[in-house]
Amino acid sequence: MEFGHVYTAMVTPFDEKGALHLKRLEELIDHLLANGTDALVVAGTTGESPTLSPSEKLELFQHCVDYVKKRVPVIAGTGSNDTKGSVELTEKAAALGVDGIMLVTPYYNKPSQKGLYEHFRTIASRTTLPVMLYNVPGRTALHMEAETVIALSKIKNITAVKESSGDLEHMAKLITETADDFILYTGDDGNTLPAMAIGARGVVSVASHIIGAEMQTMISHFLQGNVSEAAALHRQLLPTMQAMFSAPNPTCVKYALEARGIEVGGVRLPLVPLDEQQKKTIDAVLA
């Protein structure tokens, strides 16, 4: 799943009543493609996947595939804490023409590492698409240990991991002990440059909704050996990256997009809109 350096974990646009808004989705895709996104991750955490029904997810996948028309890859977030349900959604997403699958670690159930292995192995066995694992212990209360990822990386179509633990030592172990064609992306915007310095390929990003082109410039500097320039840009962008997570994601980035004139609507309960002080924090970095 080597589709570039900056994947955007895309928000899901809603209308004023909280229903999917496909015209806004098209406008958002246009914005992202014009501003440095190499691939779109649809119905992930930032897409408010826990509040999306299976039929809504499939509608999103279909519309993204049809509208993008292979300009960039479309990665479908089909993972959940129900293996059977994840298999069914993965098979349906594949039939719609998505380019890859992202599978989050099962939340709430808290399976063992063996259970994790069997969960991901089972889903991967039911598709030929490349699979990206997604480890995000801050949201799932479950950390996928390095040995589990290493074992899963030996399955042919499990080709990448989105690592959102923030643990650079853990990432280094994964990079060292998996094959060269197994790819690690950080899931934390602020870790993009540090993670790439130890061998990550890039980032599955939230902040790229707002600073995607700047993130691509930072990565380009790094890859060309202009480390001082990359580091300076990293420090410059860091406040924006941090501000996007100053309230539960994707509340901040949706507000920031609206402030930039890109209509994506609000968030679904149990998330709530930003209060006035939180809005001032976002306004300050946008200014």
Side-chain angles (χ1 to χ4, degrees):
M1 197 179 287
E2 212 293 75
F3 295 141
H5 300 289
V6 179
Y7 291 30
T8 296
M10 191 170 64
V11 302
T12 299
F14 299 131
D15 66 16
E16 284 63 36
K17 294 183 178 180
L20 297 184
H21 196 304
L22 298 181
K23 179 61 178 173
R24 288 178 175 177
L25 176 66
E26 293 175 2
E27 293 167 354
L28 175 62
I29 290 170
D30 288 340
H31 163 74
L32 293 173
L33 298 193
N35 287 277
T37 292
D38 293 318
L40 298 172
V41 178
V42 185
T45 304
T46 308
E48 297 177 72
S49 58
T51 71
L52 297 173
S53 68
S55 62
E56 286 177 319
K57 290 178 182 178
L58 291 170
E59 188 175 3
L60 280 171
F61 300 154
Q62 183 71 79
H63 203 78
C64 285
V65 167
D66 291 346
Y67 188 73
V68 169
K69 292 184 175 11
K70 296 294 183 183
R71 286 176 287 170
V72 297
V74 174
I75 313 302
T78 60
S80 72
N81 61 349
D82 170 17
T83 306
K84 182 175 181 289
S86 297
V87 166
E88 291 172 355
L89 189 59
T90 297
E91 291 177 335
K92 290 175 181 178
L96 297 177
V98 301
D99 301 286
I101 298 297
M102 187 178 74
L103 301 175
V104 69
T105 47
Y107 38 87
Y108 194 75
N109 317 55
K110 297 188 77 172
S112 66
Q113 295 297 308
K114 179 174 175 20
L116 274 180
Y117 178 88
E118 291 300 328
H119 172 78
F120 290 123
R121 182 197 64 76
T122 298
I123 302 168
S125 72
R126 301 290 290 272
T127 182
T128 59
L129 290 173
V131 171
M132 173 185 283
L133 308 174
Y134 178 19
N135 184 40
V136 56
R139 283 185 176 265
T140 63
L142 176 69
H143 177 58
M144 185 157 50
E145 295 174 4
E147 289 72 19
T148 306
V149 178
I150 293 162
L152 286 164
S153 75
K154 294 172 178 154
I155 295 172
K156 183 177 180 181
N157 63 325
I158 297 182
T159 60
V161 62
K162 176 186 176 184
E163 180 52 57
S164 297
S165 67
D167 185 343
L168 290 170
E169 291 185 14
H170 175 71
M171 294 184 211
K173 182 178 176 67
L174 294 179
I175 294 165
T176 300
E177 298 189 27
T178 56
D180 290 344
D181 59 355
F182 184 79
I183 301 165
L184 185 142
Y185 288 87
T186 178
D188 300 301
D189 285 297
N191 266 345
T192 304
L193 193 58
M196 291 189 72
I198 61 169
R201 191 63 52 88
V203 60
V204 180
S205 174
V206 174
S208 57
H209 285 89
I210 306 300
I211 52 171
E214 294 87 342
M215 292 177 72
Q216 285 284 17
T217 299
M218 177 185 74
I219 291 170
S220 179
H221 278 311
F222 174 75
L223 294 175
Q224 293 170 16
N226 302 321
V227 177
S228 295
E229 291 89 340
L233 191 48
H234 166 81
R235 294 191 299 271
Q236 180 184 330
L237 298 177
L238 195 56
T240 302
M241 295 173 176
Q242 293 169 331
M244 291 304 105
F245 293 91
S246 57
N249 185 42
T251 317
C252 297
V253 72
K254 278 195 157 182
Y255 173 79
L257 285 165
E258 291 274 336
R260 288 277 176 90
I262 301 153
E263 294 186 359
V264 291
V267 290
R268 285 179 172 176
L269 285 170
L271 298 180
V272 294
L274 301 181
D275 62 32
E276 291 307 311
Q277 186 56 49
Q278 291 168 328
K279 289 178 182 178
K280 288 178 182 178
T281 298
I282 306 302
D283 291 339
V285 298
L286 294 180

